[in-house]
Amino acid sequence: MTLMMSGLDYQRTPLDQRQRLAFSTSQTEELLHWLHDQSGVEGCVLLSTCNRTELYISGSAETPWRLLCRGAGVPEGEMEDYFTTRCGMDAARHLMEVTCGLHSQILGEDQIITQVRKAMELAQTEKTADPTLSALFRGAVTAGKRARTEVPVSRSNPSMGTRCRDILLRELGTLEGMKILVIGNGQMGRLAAQLLQEAGASVSVTLRTYRHGETLVPAGCKTVNYEDRAAALENMDALVSATASPHYTLTAQQLRQVQNPPKVAVDLAVPRDIDPECGQQITLYDTDSLGSAGPGSLEKLDAMRAIVTQELERFSQWQRRQEIAQKSPRFPLFVDLTGKKVVLVGGGTIAARRISTLRLFGCEIEVVAPELKCNPEGLLWKRRVYTSGDLEGACLAIAATDSRKVNHQVGMDAGELGIPVSVADCESECTFYFPAVCTGENLIAGVVSGGKDHHRTARAAKAIRRALEDLK
């Protein structure tokens, strides 16, 4: 299986071209499914940020950038010169360097860690991330977190939000008492609003809707209805826009209708939020014109690269273990569970099937789940979410929730305790596969298929059950 990536970024691709391949969450979901259906694609993850768009593919598909352009309806010939393609460990190293902030406009900025993690989680939710890509992206997030905590530059230059604040300070001379409108209440908008408010500005944030207890607004900030954003610009000193809207949040025509417009505007979105023609009326900065905070010292760069090398080696070791596991089938070990504690995390349909099977073997079944889709009689049911420590004293652990994060944590905790674990949604995290159990008179058979072909397993189990019933 081949690991490949193709990407374009701010260093060699103008914003006008980058925004042609910038995607919202809903667009990414649709594109992931289309990509996953293409010939040779075993798994795919799409990373789309203000500074870069990168497609990671495992399998034997054609060059990723061609698939990306085709899926997005963008002519391949118009974008070919902007893309860089990497394969194998070069692709893996690049992702880890990106997540550490080594290729960001601001060295060590930490927003990229969240962006990489969300790209992985979205692909896992849409079931387009195979075990190879899941392991790679987990390693990259770990590398990024280590870089943030172990290398001081990560704390001194946290994000594009600080560049936005510094640009406005330079343009306005001071932020104390300045009236600033922030369009957008997503992660970047909230960060910019918080930083500006902390610097003494009077900040108003647009909201499309407000739900008490659900909508987050930075402390001290006022709110404005999103539909009233143009009118709210009157007498503002500055404007910041950071939304995921596919349309302009401010057009040149809207700005001309404001009698006393802001002196300066900062557009933190890709695709652009603010019509570039607005730059004829006010000073306008986009993500490319914000500039960078410098390359950082060689010592800090070397420290980050050392972290990348360490996490890359861990990923390489994981790949080698998978290759060995694929060559060697799992040994069918039958164990006595009578009176022993088995912890099952999850209460949905899969968990209910696991519980039904385990009831046959005399074990003490402890279930950790807020809800349970089976009869709790005979079970020790902890009616809450899973917490580390729930596996203490167990001889087996089973993760069968609908949360990738929870299942992964159960697998990690079981590994630390040396407890065999079955993780329902990730074969690479299983140390044993939960079998389809077939019983006959004084006979037990278990069927697995490497954790992949579940339909084939079900057909085999059905045939074996019939065979056991026919035995006399």
Side-chain angles (χ1 to χ4, degrees), residues 333-383:
L333 178 67
F334 291 84
V335 297
D336 182 8
L337 295 181
T338 305
K340 295 179 180 177
K341 177 180 174 181
V342 175
V343 175
L344 192 149
V345 183
T349 302
I350 294 176
R353 289 203 300 264
R354 300 285 192 265
I355 291 169
S356 177
T357 299
L358 289 170
R359 289 182 189 272
L360 303 173
F361 297 96
C363 52
E364 296 180 358
I365 307 171
E366 183 174 301
V367 180
V368 184
E371 304 291 337
L372 186 57
K373 287 189 175 182
C374 68
N375 187 344
E377 184 178 353
L379 307 175
L380 175 58
W381 180 17
K382 294 184 177 179
R383 197 167 185 170

